[in-house]
Amino acid sequence: MVSLLKTNRQLIYTIKYLYLYKMKNIVIIFILGLFTLACSGYKNKLVATNNQGIANDTIRIANEEIEYEIIIIEPGFNAWLASRAMPRDYHSQSYLESRNNVWVIEYNRRALQPFSYDPNLYPMQIDYRRGIDYGYEVNYMLYNYLVFFQLTYKQKLGGFQARL
């Protein structure tokens, strides 16, 4: 009777040990699988998002006749331009030039004072000179970028209020 009781206890301990051993392995395999799946899935999504953002938010406009171009790299500008900007030929070229002249002078002044103004908002100067005919397309894009900049970042570049 005693030996039968010992055998039953040993059998019960053996079954418990095997059960726990199998469960431990299953839990470890499950955790490793989740870890592998989580790391690989997140990495791919991040790369795809960044490539789409760079492709969609870079605009290059060039005036081939007089060799001027404007390159705008700003998150959200392309969508804003398509949805909220006035259509081409709404403003005359002289209107765009007068606004651009005033706003670019103030923008460049702020770009030269990184301790007074946020250097992340004004990373570099805009090379725009009065008296040069940049063409309608370059003036249109610069005007819309400066309007977008003022409305998005709540900046007032002076002279004229940015409006649509």
Side-chain angles (χ1 to χ4, degrees), residues 44-57:
N44 290 338
K45 287 179 186 175
L46 182 64
V47 170
T49 302
N50 282 345
N51 287 340
Q52 290 171 353
I54 290 170
N56 289 337
D57 289 328

Side-chain angles (χ1 to χ4, degrees), residues 21-81:
Y21 181 74
K22 284 183 179 180
M23 286 303 292
K24 181 179 164 186
N25 287 342
I26 290 173
V27 169
I28 289 173
I29 290 171
F30 182 72
I31 290 173
L32 286 175
L34 282 178
F35 181 74
T36 304
L37 185 66
C39 289
S40 64
Y42 179 74
K43 190 179 198 181
N44 290 338
K45 287 179 186 175
L46 182 64
V47 170
T49 302
N50 282 345
N51 287 340
Q52 290 171 353
I54 290 170
N56 289 337
D57 289 328
T58 302
I59 296 176
R60 178 185 177 271
I61 299 295
N63 186 338
E64 303 297 334
E65 297 168 356
I66 45 182
E67 300 176 8
Y68 292 109
E69 70 178 356
I70 183 168
I71 299 172
I72 300 171
I73 304 170
E74 182 76 33
F77 176 67
N78 195 20
W80 182 89
L81 184 66

